[in-house]
């Protein structure tokens, strides 16, 4: 399908993406729009206007979510929800989150222009603080509307000591009224999210868009290894208890474990490592590093975790160090709804667009929604898999194709609620 | 030999070590006496008084070295020099450096009490800024008196922006008169240094003291590996260019290389590692780490360096990363003089003290002196090999035995200058 034969208005979509990128712009192509910041507020105001232009009623709830609604023939029916987020990483790009919100608005705008009234109501949400970088905990708005916030979340502070409660007040929200904004579970029929892939798979398959099969569950561990410091020049090799050597062996082993089945989408990563005293002529005494292990197959992930824990035990013994393992996050994979994936398969085929199926390693607002309703996600190819970086890039052609598939899927889901 | 039958006065030595530890004391057992600080000055003043009590004339030269002299029968003869340093690490111990200076003063004090006039003059030096932690370059005083300072050393600044030139002025020195304080090479007959081992070898051999065979030459490299960042959840394992994985493999390999000959004193260490962006869910893009490789056998060290460089090349290829290697320091091993070691062997044997021979991994002021004269070093056992830490500990018994050997060695070297 060529961009010229799309139902949606790709020019309008492109203009809105480009305009929104001006708010919080950094450098030529970057965006810094931290959740609940002035830039975020300016973005919310702008996008709210676009929702209204598209024919929706729109408001900001007390979680800081921007919600637009297109009424359905049956206003009391559970809604079809679509969305993503417009907050960004501190050194982020123009597309992450944004295309899911602006794409959904474009879907509604197109429907309204074509005088299509959905059977069930459709809501487009720009969820507040998906990124989580300001208060170090994300998916705030999407967990919020489902009543899934944890104790103490309003008291979390940013680097300037501002609490989330205060930031919400400054944003114009009332943290005492959050309960009023929670959706009863049965009021959400299904959820759709369009997002850039944030990985290199679609690019490597030469495909503009992909159908997400599920969000893999990350297992996050922090491993600490404790050896014994000593002068790098004076402790003979056989007498050492080098915590960094032990950590290095675990890092190499995790890679082997996660790579053992070449066909599987399992990924294992050590992204963060802290060494004490981290001095060039002192044998490292203490090393803490993170483990991120993801798989769409939870049984396999459990098996690999067990292998990893055994390897840590063995390596610690071999290197004469002690260790501890802390579990920071343990999420299960959340599968996309087969009926929604089926619609997407049919519609992408009708569009004559190759849309391979792939899992999502990163999580998204869809993860929160997955616990209360069927959900589906569409990925858009992005250059070199880069995200959370000003270099993040997807072509407007690809975004338009993804939005077209979102439109077609939304049309079918909102006309045939059950 | 028991402490009760020593020639030197171990009580006096013990008291001076304990008294000096009060200056810049931190916690119960620690010392912070940064070079050219107020604490350093107070320590120099105190030790100068002890030098005078011991029968020496004493002064502070313009490098900040405290120099005490016991005149010899032949005042024009090259001197026997003994010493070490009394500056400390910021979080240091009571023995590192100190016992070499106070031990040497005790040697002179004992000679004078026994009315021994050496044939050649003896000088005891507390060298300024051996540690190098304040201006990030050590062995200042010992290199200074040999005319071996490098360009720009006086302009180096500490963390408060104070230059070394200013610190010298504040200490009462005149940086314009440094040249006057340089020793002609032929004026130093030999150099002796008593020091704690800073390693666990003597403890493991159940020996109070040891005879140093040489100071091994450290090769210091910084290796930087460059891969490609990506979301830890979305880049399939076979598509990754993980710089930390590559670094981990090199760290493990360095350990294998340095350990391949179980009998050799070779040591290889990665003590410092920096990861970018060092975020738990981002594949590391850039990792820099240090390599510290030491050996008393320079040929073997060269061979191991070659093996390491080949391993880095291979691992980089295998992991799809690029790399660079910077050489920061490349020192050759400096061997202790056989005639001095022979005297030490004979005298320790006469003392009936087992004094095994071992290399020094760390460097000392003796390293600077090794380029102009014969030198010898005596190590004192220290607990768990701990140094540069308030937990640093040696018994007064062991220190006294080391000082006794220093006394006996100095006696023979100063009575038989050639």
């Amino acid at each position: 399908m060529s961009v010229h034969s799309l139902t949606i208005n790709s020019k309008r979509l492109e203009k809105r993406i480009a305009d929104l990128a001006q708010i919080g712009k950094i450098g030529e192509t970057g965006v810094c729009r931290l959740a609940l910041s002035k830039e975020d507020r300016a973005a919310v105001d702008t996008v709210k206007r676009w929702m209204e232009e598209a024919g929706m009623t729109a408001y900001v709830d007390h979680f800081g979510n921007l919600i637009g609604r297109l009424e359905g023939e049956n206003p009391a029916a559970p809604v079809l929800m679509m969305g993503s987020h417009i907050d960004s990483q501190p050194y982020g790009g123009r597309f992450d989150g944004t295309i899911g919100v602006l794409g959904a608005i474009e879907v509604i705008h197109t429907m309204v222009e074509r005088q299509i009234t959905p059977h069930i109501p459709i809501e487009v949400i720009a969820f507040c603080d998906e990124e989580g970088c300001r208060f170090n905990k994300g998916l705030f708005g999407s967990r919020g509307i489902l009543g899934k916030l944890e104790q103490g979340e309003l008291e979390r502070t940013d680097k300037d000591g501002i609490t989330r409660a205060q930031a919400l007040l400054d944003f114009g929200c009332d943290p005492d009224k959050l309960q009023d904004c929670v959706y009863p579970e049965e009021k959400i029929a299904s959820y759709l999210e369009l997002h850039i892939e944030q990985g290199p798979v679609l690019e490597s398959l030469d495909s503009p868009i992909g159908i997400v099969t599920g969000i893999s569950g990350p297992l996050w561990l922090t491993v600490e290894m404790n050896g014994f410091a000593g002068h790098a020049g004076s402790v003979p090799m056989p007498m050492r208890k080098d915590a960094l050597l032990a950590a290095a062996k675990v890092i190499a082993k995790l890679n082997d474990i996660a790579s053992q089945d070449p066909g599987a989408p399992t990924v294992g990563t050590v992204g963060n490592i802290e060494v004490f005293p981290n001095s060039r002529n002192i044998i490292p005494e203490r090393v803490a590093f993170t483990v991120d292990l993801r798989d769409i197959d939870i049984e396999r992930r459990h098996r690999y975790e067990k292998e990893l824990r055994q390897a840590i035990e063995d390596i610690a013994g071999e290197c004469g160090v002690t260790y501890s393992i802390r579990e920071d996050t343990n999420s299960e994979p959340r599968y996309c709804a087969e009926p929604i994936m089926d619609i997407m398969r049919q519609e992408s085929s009708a569009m004559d667009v190759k849309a391979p199926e792939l899992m999502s390693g990163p999580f998204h607002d869809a993860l929160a929604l997955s616990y209360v309703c069927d959900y589906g996600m569409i990925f858009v190819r992005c250059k070199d898999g880069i995200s959370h970086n000003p270099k993040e890039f997807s072509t407007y052609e690809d975004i338009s194709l993804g939005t077209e598939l979102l439109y077609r899927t939304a049309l079918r889901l909102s006309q045939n609620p059950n």
Side-chain angles (χ1 to χ4, degrees), chain A:
Chain A
M1 185 171 208
S2 104
V3 176
H4 309 290
S5 54
L6 296 176
T7 321
I8 60 129
N9 183 334
S10 58
K11 284 287 166 214
R12 181 167 57 201
L13 175 60
E14 174 174 341
K15 181 164 187 339
R16 284 178 182 160
I17 293 172
D19 285 354
L20 191 55
Q22 298 304 308
I23 303 176
K25 182 177 180 181
I26 49 173
E28 279 305 299
T29 60
V31 163
C32 175
R33 216 155 48 214
L34 290 185
L36 299 174
S37 64
K38 285 201 181 74
E39 293 77 17
D40 191 16
R41 183 70 226 193
V44 161
D45 291 341
T46 298
V47 174
K48 180 166 179 283
R49 206 178 56 233
W50 291 337
M51 283 178 167
E52 289 160 352
E53 276 177 24
M56 288 181 270
T57 55
Y59 68 103
V60 178
D61 77 0
H62 292 298
F63 293 108
N65 295 316
L66 168 63
I67 304 178
R69 181 176 170 104
L70 180 66
E71 204 46 274
E73 288 166 355
N74 182 356
V79 303
L80 164 64
M81 196 176 269
M82 296 190 285
S84 194
H85 62 97
I86 58 172
D87 68 309
S88 85
Q89 291 279 328
Y91 190 63
R94 292 164 288 173
F95 305 101
D96 175 6
T98 302
I99 68 162
V101 174
L102 302 186
I105 293 173
E106 179 53 39
V107 165
I108 302 296
H109 211 148
T110 302
M111 280 188 187
V112 169
E113 280 179 337
R114 296 169 75 92
Q115 298 180 305
I116 296 168
T117 302
H119 180 74
I120 60 171
I122 305 181
E123 292 189 355
V124 176
I125 308 198
F127 289 108
C128 183
D129 197 2
E130 189 266 354
E131 296 290 2
C133 25
R134 182 168 173 194
F135 299 99
N136 210 15
K137 191 159 180 77
L139 301 186
F140 177 75
S142 49
R143 288 183 299 114
I145 62 159
L146 305 173
K148 296 258 172 79
L149 294 187
E150 292 165 17
Q151 196 123 41
E153 286 206 36
L154 295 180
E155 286 70 51
R156 294 181 85 95
T157 53
D158 68 7
K159 66 177 172 50
D160 299 319
I162 298 169
T163 61
R164 190 189 290 272
Q166 185 59 50
L168 281 169
L169 281 168
D170 296 346
F171 204 70
C173 301
D174 184 346
D176 290 335
K177 295 187 179 157
L178 297 181
Q179 199 49 46
D180 304 347
C181 304
V182 171
Y183 279 62
E185 282 194 16
E186 67 278 8
K187 293 305 281 181
I188 307 173
S190 45
Y191 176 75
L192 297 177
E193 185 165 353
L194 175 74
H195 206 281
I196 59 167
E197 183 199 338
Q198 303 183 283
V201 174
L202 292 174
E203 189 177 55
S204 74
L205 296 173
D206 201 22
S207 300
I209 58 173
I211 298 170
V212 177
T213 56
I215 298 174
S216 70
L219 172 72
W220 278 2
L221 306 176
T222 297
V223 182
E224 186 175 303
M225 308 197 92
N226 278 279
F228 197 79
H231 195 293
S234 60
V235 184
M237 300 308 283
M239 296 179 70
R240 295 188 170 205
K241 296 174 177 178
D242 183 336
L244 181 56
L245 173 65
K249 291 183 177 206
V250 174
I251 292 168
K253 185 67 185 175
L254 171 66
N255 187 69
D256 292 343
I257 292 172
S259 306
Q260 65 189 280
D261 179 352
T266 325
V267 283
T269 311
V270 174
N272 174 275
I273 186 165
E274 305 294 340
V275 177
F276 176 84
N278 210 26
S279 169
R280 79 179 306 151
N281 62 349
I282 302 183
I283 298 160
E285 170 138 327
R286 190 171 69 242
V287 175
F289 60 94
T290 58
V291 168
D292 179 314
L293 183 64
R294 305 187 195 209
D295 204 314
I296 199 73
D297 178 342
I298 190 72
E299 288 312 317
R300 185 170 50 209
R301 202 196 75 190
H302 288 331
R303 204 163 65 240
Y304 288 180
E305 179 189 353
K306 214 170 149 185
E307 288 178 26
L308 176 67
R309 287 179 181 268
Q310 185 60 52
I312 293 171
E313 171 77 19
D314 296 345
I315 290 166
E318 179 190 316
C319 295
V321 305
T322 59
Y323 71 94
S324 64
I325 301 176
R326 188 182 75 212
E327 188 178 282
D328 301 315
T329 292
N330 187 345
S331 304
E332 53 185 351
R334 301 297 300 173
Y335 300 99
C336 290
E338 267 299 328
I340 297 179
M341 288 173 66
D342 256 346
I343 292 172
M344 290 177 176
R345 287 177 192 123
Q346 293 159 18
E347 296 297 332
S348 57
S349 175
M351 286 164 66
D352 202 19
V353 169
K354 193 173 86 172
E357 295 175 21
L358 73 172
M359 86 169 190
S360 174
F363 48 74
H364 303 283
D365 289 302
L367 180 65
L369 273 299
S370 76
Y371 288 89
V372 300
C373 66
D374 278 3
Y375 84 103
M377 281 194 79
I378 300 163
F379 270 172
V380 174
R381 167 170 60 186
C382 69
K383 190 164 162 28
D384 298 329
I386 297 173
S387 184
H388 291 186
N389 189 296
K391 285 187 195 150
E392 177 181 283
F393 182 73
S394 291
T395 66
Y396 288 118
E397 287 72 15
D398 291 353
I399 296 168
S400 295
L401 285 173
T403 304
E404 179 76 14
L405 181 58
L406 182 69
Y407 171 78
R408 287 165 175 251
T409 308
L411 213 56
R412 286 183 55 179
L413 286 172
S414 60
Q415 288 175 330
N416 298 292
N418 283 306

